Amino acid sequence: ASLNDLRGRWTGTYGPMGQPAALIIKTHNGKALEGVLEQGAVRVAFMGTIKSGSIRMKQSAVLSGDGWSLGEDTGTVSNDGKSMSGTGKDLFGGSLGMTYQWSFRR
C-alpha cells in the first residue's frame, strides 16, 4: 500500500447518512485516478486526481441505480496509503451549501 498505487477496493462510509460504501480504484497513473463508487444498488463512475496526499474525485456518470445526484469530493490520503477521508457536495446539496463526510480504508 502506497500513495503511488491506490488501486484496489476501499471500504467505508459515504454521504449525508454515513451509509456503508465501497470505492473501487481501477487505474492510477501518476496523478490520475479512475474508478467506481458503490453504495447499495448505486454504482457511480468517477475520475480523480491526487497530488501530494490531496485527493479530488469528480463523479462523471451513474452506471446503475436511481436517485443519485453526481458529486465532487475532496480529501486527504494517509501517508501510509491505507486510509482516506474528506468532504463532498453534490449538485443538489451544493446549491444549498450542504456538504457531507466520507471515509475509506483498505
Side-chain angles (χ1 to χ4, degrees), residues 63 65 86 93 105:
L63 304 174
R105 297 186 68 79

Side-chain angles (χ1 to χ4, degrees), residues 42 62 65-70 90:
V42 176
V62 177
D66 295 316
W68 190 273
S69 180
L70 292 174
D90 60 31

